[in-house]
Amino acid sequence: QVQLVESGGGLVQAGGSLRLSCAASGNIFSIKARNWYRQAPGKQRELVAAITNGGSTDYVDSVKGRFTISRDFAKNTVYLQMNSLKPEDTAVYYCNFKSWSEHEYWGQGTQVTVSS
């Protein structure tokens, strides 16, 4: 089992920045990928950013150049640095870990609201 606790969400004006954190505990050695998803009201949950154990990253087109995913193995934490935020980035952001056996773990979600 893996437990995930997110922090760092909040209210920010357009153009501002936030950094989300996701602290993991439990059997993290089973994890092969760490991801951030988001879900806006009335929309499906979408994958925003992903990072593998080897450090390869991928982003949804709408955040490329503005968001950066990173991980700190020593702290068992994954981050999402979000710059140049736009109102359309408003959503609940979820941390997601995927194990080698394809099991998925989810955090509780953190609200990000970007005002225009």
Side-chain angles (χ1 to χ4, degrees):
Q1 288 290 331
V2 174
Q3 295 77 43
L4 304 175
V5 178
E6 298 136 344
S7 60
L11 173 64
V12 64
Q13 288 187 333
S17 298
L18 284 174
R19 188 176 81 156
L20 305 183
S21 299
C22 174
S25 60
N27 187 20
I28 58 171
F29 297 104
S30 68
I31 300 304
K32 68 173 181 178
R34 294 155 175 82
N35 311 302
W36 285 98
Y37 283 76
R38 68 185 178 186
Q39 188 166 19
K43 295 187 177 181
Q44 289 189 332
R45 191 173 295 189
E46 69 169 346
L47 177 62
V48 175
I51 187 166
T52 66
N53 285 342
S56 297
T57 59
D58 197 14
Y59 301 90
V60 67
D61 285 346
S62 60
V63 308
K64 285 181 179 177
R66 301 188 296 122
F67 289 13
T68 303
I69 188 172
S70 60
R71 78 272 188 268
D72 185 330
F73 286 130
K75 295 183 178 180
N76 297 331
T77 300
V78 62
Y79 304 97
L80 186 66
Q81 178 67 44
M82 306 185 293
N83 298 328
S84 302
L85 282 161
K86 303 176 181 180
E88 50 264 44
D89 294 318
T90 295
V92 178
Y93 284 71
Y94 297 91
C95 179
N96 165 277
F97 280 23
K98 183 173 290 186
S99 72
W100 290 101
S101 61
E102 300 302 323
H103 191 88
E104 293 191 86
Y105 303 93
W106 294 89
Q108 80 282 6
T110 185
Q111 176 71 47
V112 171
T113 303
V114 184
S115 63
S116 58

